[in-house]
Amino acid sequence: MPTYEYRCKRCGHEFEEIQKITAPPLTQCPVCHEKTLTRIIGAGSGLIFKGPGFYITDYKRGAGDTQSKGTKKKAKGEEKSSSPDGKPESSE
């Protein structure tokens, strides 16, 4: 549920309230009890990942990085199978 910020036009009291998106906005100030509340636009909160399965390295691939990790490992393994002079070893 989103958190909404409110400010009273009469007394200036500011507070946050957790409400459903479909809930009507509050109108009565909890301090002066006048119906002069206005909902103000807040910065909101950042995206929060909870639970296992999300890692700091997720989604960090660059725009030009098209090879998957498995492909890179396979390519490295193929490089090691070549002889020291750079020619691939024959399988005779």
Side-chain angles (χ1 to χ4, degrees), residues 19-58:
Q19 292 180 290
K20 290 184 178 182
I21 293 174
T22 58
L26 301 177
T27 56
Q28 186 173 0
C29 177
V31 176
C32 68
H33 305 291
E34 295 291 325
K35 292 189 177 191
T36 54
L37 277 184
T38 57
R39 188 185 283 176
I40 54 178
I41 299 171
S45 63
L47 184 61
I48 300 172
F49 293 111
K50 291 186 178 182
F54 294 102
Y55 299 95
I56 192 90
T57 57
D58 286 352

Side-chain angles (χ1 to χ4, degrees), residues 69-90:
K69 290 181 182 178
T71 308
K72 286 181 183 178
K73 287 181 182 178
K74 185 178 178 184
K76 285 182 181 179
E78 289 171 355
E79 289 173 6
K80 289 181 181 179
S81 67
S82 63
S83 64
D85 63 354
K87 296 179 183 175
E89 294 177 3
S90 61

Side-chain angles (χ1 to χ4, degrees), residues 5-19:
E5 295 180 35
Y6 288 93
R7 178 185 300 138
C8 179
K9 290 180 182 179
R10 185 173 179 269
C11 69
H13 176 67
E14 292 184 14
F15 64 98
E16 295 179 346
E17 186 71 27
I18 298 173
Q19 292 180 290

